[in-house]
Amino acid sequence: MTDPQTAPFKPGPVLAYVLLTLVLTWTVEYAVIGEGLRFDDLVGKSAPGLWLMAVMWIPGLVALAVTLVTERTGLRGLVPALLLRMGSVGPYFLAVPLIPLAYAVMYLLTWALGLSSIDPDLNSLAAVSGQPIGMDAALKLMLPLSVVVGPLINFVFGLGEELGWRGYLLPRLMPLGKLRAYVVLGMVWGVWHGPLILAGLNYPGYPVAGVMMMCLVCLAFGLFLNEMTLHYRSALLAAFLCHPH
């Protein structure tokens, strides 16, 4: 694939990709929400299951389809076209201490803005599971599982997003210039979460402010992900960095 910053900008495929991704994602999410699903009142209900994680693959599947149709790469050509390479192993090890720190900063910012509250007794998680979960169980069982198993499971689903955002969209926005590309991608990524945020995910009780906060988080976190993706030419790295837990 040619240098994304010197390649010509092609608005047609990019616009088609964004619209298809948003329409398909929002259609699935609003269908489920229309059946009564709320994320800010999950007491007595099961947690959102595989359908929610499967939605994360819509950006990637649309990227595969749009690339095959508009760029006629063939199946082999998808690897360079969507940055389907691992890149250097160094950043993967670097992510182990840095990514939890980054999420801690985001959660602290959310609490500082009053969009959520600290839950040291894990009452919200207990409400979802239907049984109390003590801090002792969280430290001895849930934390080790999330550290060891979580990254592997979430990488599979996170790859669906990052094939789209960093593998397809980012390189094709770069002819607009780095600043514009990063802003457009961050806003699209943030708005893509809109229906679930409005239904109480992440920022329960703050639907509009929650969508705005998600856009800011995607812009901020996107700066790091975009730089790493472009430097190492790897959407796989972005998936690992963005969905480690």
Side-chain angles (χ1 to χ4, degrees), residues 57 78-79 82-88 91-92 95 151 154-168 225 228-230 232-244:
W57 260 95
L78 289 174
V79 173
L82 297 178
L83 306 182
L84 278 168
R85 56 189 299 273
M86 182 175 178
S88 174
Y92 293 87
N154 286 297
F155 173 78
V156 174
F157 293 97
L159 180 59
E161 278 196 50
E162 293 310 318
L163 275 180
W165 306 138
R166 248 58 61 171
Y168 178 84
L225 290 176
M228 296 295 283
T229 300
L230 293 175
Y232 292 100
R233 306 288 295 168
S234 173
L236 301 183
L237 175 60
F240 183 82
L241 294 175
C242 190
H243 301 274

Side-chain angles (χ1 to χ4, degrees), residues 30-220:
Y30 276 121
V32 180
I33 293 171
E35 295 296 321
L37 178 68
R38 294 289 305 181
F39 294 90
D40 48 10
D41 183 22
L42 288 173
V43 179
K45 302 178 183 178
S46 61
L50 290 178
W51 74 265
L52 179 57
M53 301 188 78
V55 165
M56 296 168 64
W57 260 95
I58 290 179
L61 293 175
V62 174
L64 291 170
V66 171
T67 303
L68 287 172
V69 171
T70 64
E71 301 181 13
R72 300 177 182 178
T73 60
L75 293 178
R76 290 185 178 180
L78 289 174
V79 173
L82 297 178
L83 306 182
L84 278 168
R85 56 189 299 273
M86 182 175 178
S88 174
V89 299
Y92 293 87
F93 290 104
L94 183 63
V96 174
L98 289 184
I99 296 301
L101 178 61
Y103 275 95
V105 171
M106 286 190 289
Y107 290 140
L108 287 173
L109 179 60
T110 302
W111 293 329
L113 293 175
L115 299 179
S116 67
S117 58
I118 300 176
D119 186 15
D121 297 323
L122 306 179
N123 292 324
S124 298
L125 188 59
V128 172
S129 65
Q131 58 185 2
I133 300 175
M135 184 61 67
D136 185 63
L139 292 175
K140 291 182 178 180
L141 180 62
M142 296 177 63
L143 181 59
L145 285 176
S146 66
V147 171
V148 177
V149 181
L152 299 177
I153 296 176
N154 286 297
F155 173 78
V156 174
F157 293 97
L159 180 59
E161 278 196 50
E162 293 310 318
L163 275 180
W165 306 138
R166 248 58 61 171
Y168 178 84
L169 191 55
L170 175 61
R172 289 153 185 84
L173 288 174
M174 287 302 292
L176 298 176
K178 181 178 286 190
L179 177 59
R180 291 179 181 177
Y182 284 16
V183 170
V184 171
L185 176 53
M187 294 303 295
V188 171
W189 189 22
V191 170
W192 178 76
H193 294 86
L196 300 184
I197 302 298
L198 294 175
L201 185 66
N202 294 114
Y203 307 100
Y206 303 91
V208 177
V211 173
M212 296 174 61
M213 184 65 185
M214 179 58 71
C215 289
L216 290 176
V217 168
C218 288
L219 282 168

Side-chain angles (χ1 to χ4, degrees), residues 1-34:
M1 188 175 180
T2 58
D3 186 343
Q5 290 183 289
T6 60
F9 177 62
K10 299 180 180 180
V14 169
L15 184 60
Y17 170 77
V18 172
L19 291 178
L20 279 171
T21 300
L22 293 180
V23 168
L24 289 174
T25 303
W26 291 353
T27 298
V28 173
E29 292 175 347
Y30 276 121
V32 180
I33 293 171

